[in-house]
């Protein structure tokens, strides 16, 4: 059973606009959530995270929102840049276990 | 500072052969993970370890075994490789503390089973 779901395989946005990537989870034991960015032939790299005691965390152009009651999180990128084009994975973790979604391929067009 | 290093980077196996993938981290991290990445499936957790001498199953553990005899190393073994195990394998590690921290990933091992 997939405990972390990213239902949009791809997203295309114009440079300068907002990118919104969504993620849902099913396991209420998860208390820490992360977003990773991945380029081809490389390992994923950490982007931003949020703990379950918060509902928002911001780092520059990246903001993650968490809605615990809906078991939903989202990543906002504002403004989007062509260099943001990559596959984005969300992850959810309890103390040890860490599960990932299937990823969303973001394409930012100049 | 090497971070997380995976060995080998590429490998081709024949069905039924065995092999071991090595993950080494130099950050003194307690937690280590093995994932596989397949098209459309994202990163799926195979096994993980929360400390030296401990291992736990993830979501797709069948056909794999792991060992964590030393804190810095996490080995993933395939006893009898099958074509369904053709994938890109990623190892990750992270530290333990009051708050859960981000994991650092290796560059991946591309395995083809023919």
């Amino acid at each position: 059973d997939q405990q972390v779901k990213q239902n949009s395989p791809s997203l295309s946005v114009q440079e300068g606009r907002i990118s919104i990537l969504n993620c849902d989870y099913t396991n209420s034991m998860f208390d820490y959530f992360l977003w990773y960015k991945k380029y081809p032939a490389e390992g994923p790299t950490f982007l931003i995270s949020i703990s379950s005691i918060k509902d928002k965390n911001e780092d520059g152009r990246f903001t993650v929102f968490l809605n615990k009651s809906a078991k939903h999180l989202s990543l906002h990128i504002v403004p989007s840049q062509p260099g943001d084009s990559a596959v984005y994975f969300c992850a959810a973790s309890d103390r040890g276990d860490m599960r990932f979604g299937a990823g969303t391929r973001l394409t930012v067009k100049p | 500072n090497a971070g997380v290093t995976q060995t080998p980077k590429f490998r081709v196996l024949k069905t039924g052969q065995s092999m071991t993938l090595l993950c080494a981290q130099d950050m003194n991290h307690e937690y280590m993970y093995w994932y596989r990445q397949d098209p459309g499936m994202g990163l799926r957790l195979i096994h993980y370890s929360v400390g030296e001498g401990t291992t736990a199953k993830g979501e797709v553990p069948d056909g794999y075994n792991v060992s964590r005899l030393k804190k810095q190393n996490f080995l993933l073994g395939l006893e009898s490789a099958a074509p369904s195990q053709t994938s890109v394998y990623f190892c990750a590690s992270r530290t333990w503390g009051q708050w859960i921290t981000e994991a650092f990933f290796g560059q991946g091992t591309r395995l083809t089973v023919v």
Side-chain angles (χ1 to χ4, degrees), chain B residues 3 14 27 31-32 34 49 58 64 71 75 80-83 85 88 94 100-101 105 107 111 113:
Chain B
K14 293 183 178 179
M27 297 172 282
Y31 295 175
M32 296 187 74
W34 275 108
S49 168
Y64 304 95
K71 186 177 184 179
L75 279 63
S80 179
Q85 294 177 305
V88 181
R94 68 180 186 185
I100 299 174
T101 60
F105 280 81
Q107 292 299 295
L111 175 66
V113 183

Side-chain angles (χ1 to χ4, degrees), chain A residues 1-3 31-32 34 36 38 41-44 46 51 53 89 93-103, chain B residues 31 33 35 37 40-43 45 48 50 57-59 90 94 96-107:
Chain A
D1 64 330
Q2 195 161 17
Q3 299 183 21
D31 58 3
Y32 197 75
L34 312 94
Y36 280 80
K38 187 181 182 304
E42 295 183 7
F46 172 73
S51 71
I53 63 171
F89 290 99
S93 180
D94 62 13
R95 266 289 144 194
D97 204 341
M98 185 169 62
R99 304 289 176 106
F100 283 77
Chain B
Y31 295 175
Y33 303 83
Y35 293 90
Q37 184 189 14
M41 304 294 288
L43 293 162
L45 180 63
Y48 65 99
V50 298
K57 293 181 180 179
E59 49 191 321
F90 288 99
R94 68 180 186 185
W96 177 91
Q98 180 181 6
W99 300 110
I100 299 174
T101 60
E102 69 268 22
F104 295 84
F105 280 81
Q107 292 299 295

Side-chain angles (χ1 to χ4, degrees), chain A residues 49-104:
Chain A
S49 64
I50 188 168
S51 71
S52 59
I53 63 171
K54 294 185 176 181
D55 55 16
K56 176 182 175 181
N57 188 28
E58 196 170 351
D59 184 1
R61 295 185 298 114
F62 302 91
T63 303
V64 56
F65 295 92
L66 175 63
N67 182 334
K68 282 185 63 179
S69 61
K71 294 190 178 66
H72 177 83
L73 62 153
S74 61
L75 174 68
H76 293 210
I77 306 174
V78 183
S80 301
Q81 298 173 354
D84 295 330
S85 297
V87 177
Y88 289 77
F89 290 99
C90 72
S93 180
D94 62 13
R95 266 289 144 194
D97 204 341
M98 185 169 62
R99 304 289 176 106
F100 283 77
T104 296

Side-chain angles (χ1 to χ4, degrees), chain A residues 38 40-42, chain B residues 6 8-13 19 21 37 39 85-90 107-113:
Chain A
K38 187 181 182 304
E42 295 183 7
Chain B
Q6 293 183 228
K9 304 252 184 317
F10 303 93
R11 185 72 186 269
V12 178
L13 280 181
M19 78 163 293
L21 281 68
Q37 184 189 14
Q85 294 177 305
T86 294
S87 187
V88 181
Y89 292 84
F90 288 99
Q107 292 299 295
T109 296
R110 183 172 294 276
L111 175 66
T112 302
V113 183

